[in-house]
Amino acid sequence: MKTWKKLRENPKLWDQYFVRERILRAIRSFFESRGFHEVETPILIANPPAESYVDVFETTLFDRNRKSQKAYLSTSPEVPLKKLMVAGLGNCYAITKSFRNMETQSNLHNPEFTILEWYRVGANYMDITRDCEQLLLSITGSLSYQGKTIDLSAPWERLTVAEAFAKWAQVNFDDFFINAKNIARQKGYRVEAKTTWEQLFNQIFLNEIEKNLGIGKPTILYDFPSAMGALAKKKKSDPRYAERFEFFIAGLELGDCYSELTDWKEQEERFKKELLEIKRLGKTEYDYDHDFIEALKVGLPECSGIAMGVDRLVMLFADVPDIAETM
């Protein structure tokens, strides 16, 4: 049944939809009180960020003379925000629609979704963990989701990826870097010649680890493999890992944070590798944003930022199991 029909037949459903309204008000109030600038970023763009794990929506843009060029729906507001930071904007955030293809047939994904993304100058990824704690506490101190009570008070649980793999999958991550295919086979996962290291990681993570995160209190899972942090700084103490975290509540991933990469040469090299992987996977091909590299040459200030799924946040606070019920 269409949403408008459900609402007309059952007016009590308005309450769960108004949760979104209250959350958006709370988010804007939180950042306004901290001096952040809100930015409207473009939705129709010439070059998406080069990320092989994302499928893009491609369209054709015509000028008045019917001359055509390719265009894409934005997958995130990240690159426009960073360009403005190069220009001197300072701390900033955006609440906007983003689009990712192949995101149907799931109660946790939708091809069109609302994303909150913010950046703090002079911060690293651990500084953003405290932003997350304070932001959610500004909405409420605790919540109940699908029968599970979650205490949002700080500090949240913190685990490295390596610790999580050891705890719930009984996998030594030093070994996994070298022998991922053998370890996955021993666990009974399907492994083919073309299966990538990242796919093996995700098989184990999604099946054995994710469901255990954020139970009772939110979990901050940090220090991801550097191969899975396209725009993140590598850790100086161990370059196999990136300064990246995700946070989880009741088994749901809510946000993804990096200490942002500022080295333009390394960023361009990573983009080129991602484009090769996109081609290998048979996904929609496109060029990376050369203007972003030019901006990085001028100088992105040291900063950290996070992308948070607003629809999933609404799921939690409205206590509904399907993201479609938030839209």
Side-chain angles (χ1 to χ4, degrees), residues 159-225:
L159 285 172
T160 66
V161 167
E163 289 168 343
F165 265 69
K167 183 174 182 178
W168 286 299
Q170 293 74 54
V171 169
N172 181 299
F173 215 74
D174 289 333
D175 294 338
F176 192 73
F177 273 118
I178 302 168
N179 298 309
K181 286 190 174 182
N182 288 336
I183 290 171
R185 282 195 190 98
Q186 291 168 9
K187 284 180 157 289
Y189 292 105
R190 183 176 179 178
V191 179
E192 299 175 348
K194 64 180 181 180
T195 304
T196 66
W197 189 92
E198 185 174 339
Q199 288 170 329
L200 298 172
F201 174 98
N202 285 329
Q203 285 187 74
I204 295 174
F205 180 77
L206 295 174
N207 285 292
E208 302 184 45
I209 296 169
E210 188 174 47
K211 62 187 176 184
N212 298 297
L213 302 175
I215 307 302
K217 284 187 80 73
T219 299
I220 290 169
L221 188 70
Y222 66 100
D223 289 358
F224 277 74

Side-chain angles (χ1 to χ4, degrees), residues 47 90 156 227 292 318:
N47 305 96
W156 293 353
F292 178 49

Side-chain angles (χ1 to χ4, degrees), residues 13-134:
L13 288 176
W14 281 112
D15 290 341
Q16 74 186 40
Y17 286 97
F18 289 150
V19 170
R20 174 183 293 270
E21 189 177 90
R22 293 194 295 272
I23 287 174
L24 290 176
R25 273 202 215 104
I27 289 170
R28 286 191 164 98
S29 176
F30 177 86
F31 286 109
E32 182 178 1
S33 70
R34 286 158 175 78
F36 280 66
H37 296 283
E38 182 175 6
V39 176
E40 283 193 54
T41 56
I43 289 176
L44 188 65
I45 58 175
N47 305 96
E51 296 172 312
S52 60
Y53 68 90
V54 172
D55 290 89
V56 300
F57 283 95
E58 180 182 283
T59 188
T60 303
L61 187 65
F62 295 96
D63 67 14
R64 288 178 179 268
N65 298 312
R66 299 292 295 176
K67 183 180 179 181
S68 67
Q69 67 181 74
K70 290 181 179 180
Y72 306 87
L73 293 179
S74 174
T75 57
S76 93
E78 178 170 2
V79 168
L81 287 173
K82 286 182 174 178
K83 289 178 182 179
L84 291 174
M85 292 171 71
V86 170
L89 178 63
N91 296 345
C92 55
Y93 76 101
I95 301 172
T96 187
K97 290 290 187 181
S98 292
F99 302 83
R100 297 180 185 180
N101 221 333
M102 303 289 289
E103 297 273 319
T104 58
Q105 299 171 315
S106 166
N107 68 335
L108 298 179
H109 296 88
N110 196 66
E112 174 186 332
F113 60 100
T114 302
I115 192 169
L116 161 66
E117 196 152 326
W118 77 87
Y119 290 87
R120 184 183 285 279
V121 175
N124 63 27
Y125 68 141
M126 285 301 163
D127 295 314
I128 303 298
T129 65
R130 291 181 281 278
D131 279 355
C132 293
E133 290 171 337
Q134 293 165 12

Side-chain angles (χ1 to χ4, degrees), residues 189-324:
Y189 292 105
R190 183 176 179 178
V191 179
E192 299 175 348
K194 64 180 181 180
T195 304
T196 66
W197 189 92
E198 185 174 339
Q199 288 170 329
L200 298 172
F201 174 98
N202 285 329
Q203 285 187 74
I204 295 174
F205 180 77
L206 295 174
N207 285 292
E208 302 184 45
I209 296 169
E210 188 174 47
K211 62 187 176 184
N212 298 297
L213 302 175
I215 307 302
K217 284 187 80 73
T219 299
I220 290 169
L221 188 70
Y222 66 100
D223 289 358
F224 277 74
S226 58
M228 301 173 67
L231 284 83
K233 282 186 175 180
K234 294 178 181 178
K235 289 180 66 68
K236 290 182 179 179
S237 59
D238 190 343
R240 296 178 304 169
Y241 295 97
E243 293 190 359
R244 173 189 175 192
F245 79 78
E246 294 182 348
F247 80 90
F248 298 78
I249 298 177
L252 298 179
E253 187 255 310
L254 271 295
D256 187 6
C257 171
Y258 299 154
S259 289
E260 302 300 333
L261 181 61
T262 57
D263 183 325
W264 72 266
K265 289 182 180 179
E266 185 176 352
Q267 184 64 83
E268 186 171 46
E269 186 62 32
R270 291 196 200 180
F271 276 167
K272 289 177 179 179
K273 287 181 180 178
E274 288 293 300
L275 293 180
L276 290 174
E277 182 65 6
I278 287 168
K279 183 176 183 178
R280 188 189 74 82
L281 293 170
K283 296 185 175 184
T284 301
E285 295 182 48
Y286 52 86
D287 197 6
Y288 66 90
D289 189 336
H290 292 260
D291 183 59
F292 178 49
I293 299 301
E294 290 304 308
L296 290 182
K297 289 179 182 179
V298 173
L300 177 68
E302 293 294 321
C303 62
S304 183
I306 185 169
M308 185 181 296
V310 172
D311 309 302
R312 290 190 184 183
L313 198 61
V314 175
M315 276 180 66
L316 286 172
F317 283 93
D319 193 14
V320 295
D322 194 324
I323 201 166

